[in-house]
Amino acid sequence: LELDNHPPPSGTVVVAGPGAYNRLFYLVEPNRIYVSKAWEVDESRAEQVPTTNFFLVGDGSQVTQNLYVQDTTILAWTTDAAWRLLGQGSGSRVELFLPVAIPQRRGLAARFALTAGDGRIFLLARDGVYQQVGIQQTKLTGAVDPLFEGQTVNGVLPLNLSAIGECRLQFFASPQGGMLVLLYPQTGSTTPNRVLVIKKNRQTHQ
């Protein structure tokens, strides 16, 4: 019997990992992230999460929306900012992860409006859809900015910003370069009832 072994924390809303650190990361609202023990040579212990093995993202005033783990890259998004989670130590000896805000980067407006594909991360911020490579973000929806600014254009009602947390974003791979599909509630609806499809321009490849 090992007294420091525990089941995954209750209230978990997102699980990510294991990545190069061989750990699972459990997001518990509003902004607490629990970290599992590292995988060992002869025994999988990734499901064992000590109750004291957690850290907080930010100052506690924001909700942490989601996580992304790929190799040694660990990213988190609150509603207003993007964060890098830096492992302190090396290999399986990493026991501490330090959240560091990425300057001037958008946060995640909806928990499930985060997806990845084609070597990129895609996310919905309050002012549009962005792609993120490393820590660099590029806006993809500049041509339809009014949709995110409360303006009706050519009879198309804008996104209901008060219900933006209900949006869903998904990347679909294809030989033509893939596409993003955003499900969103238009003005007057509190649940997603419209679709925005974002595709790469075949001529400019943008």
Side-chain angles (χ1 to χ4, degrees):
L1 177 64
E2 297 183 29
L3 298 179
D4 62 344
N5 289 346
H6 299 277
S10 61
T12 297
V13 293
V14 174
V15 180
Y21 294 112
N22 292 322
R23 297 170 184 269
L24 294 180
F25 298 82
Y26 300 85
L27 172 58
V28 177
E29 288 188 320
N31 63 350
R32 181 175 293 195
I33 298 176
Y34 286 84
V35 184
S36 74
K37 294 180 180 179
W39 289 65
E40 297 181 343
V41 175
D42 300 319
E43 180 182 6
S44 167
R45 303 178 69 188
E47 75 282 8
Q48 299 166 354
V49 188
T51 57
T52 58
N53 199 20
F54 70 88
F55 58 89
L56 302 177
V57 178
D59 61 7
S61 63
Q62 298 183 8
V63 173
T64 302
Q65 295 277 45
N66 212 325
L67 303 168
Y68 175 83
V69 178
Q70 179 67 42
D71 297 326
T72 58
T73 298
I74 308 173
L75 301 171
W77 291 266
T78 55
T79 48
D80 297 318
W83 301 75
R84 295 180 67 185
L85 309 182
L86 303 179
Q88 307 299 296
S90 61
S92 61
R93 296 183 179 180
V94 173
E95 297 293 341
L96 176 66
F97 291 87
L98 178 65
V100 177
I102 304 174
Q104 300 179 344
R105 296 297 177 263
R106 300 303 198 278
L108 182 62
R111 171 158 292 141
F112 300 112
L114 177 74
T115 186
D118 196 26
R120 296 170 290 171
I121 302 169
F122 304 95
L123 64 139
L124 173 66
R126 290 193 64 84
D127 64 339
V129 176
Y130 288 76
Q131 72 174 20
Q132 182 168 328
V133 179
I135 62 173
Q136 300 300 318
Q137 294 180 346
T138 305
K139 195 173 190 178
L140 300 178
T141 52
V144 291
D145 271 347
L147 181 69
F148 302 92
E149 297 172 349
Q151 301 178 33
T152 298
V153 179
N154 296 327
V156 178
L157 294 176
L159 186 153
N160 180 5
L161 290 175
S162 65
I164 195 171
E166 301 300 318
C167 291
R168 302 290 187 269
L169 184 66
Q170 183 63 52
F171 175 83
F172 294 94
S174 76
Q176 290 73 36
M179 66 179 181
L180 281 171
V181 176
L182 173 68
L183 305 180
Y184 69 94
Q186 69 176 10
T187 298
S189 177
T190 57
T191 58
N193 62 345
R194 290 293 183 270
V195 177
L196 175 66
V197 178
I198 305 168
K199 294 183 178 180
K200 180 182 291 187
N201 188 302
R202 294 186 182 182
Q203 294 180 339
T204 65
H205 301 288
Q206 297 296 319

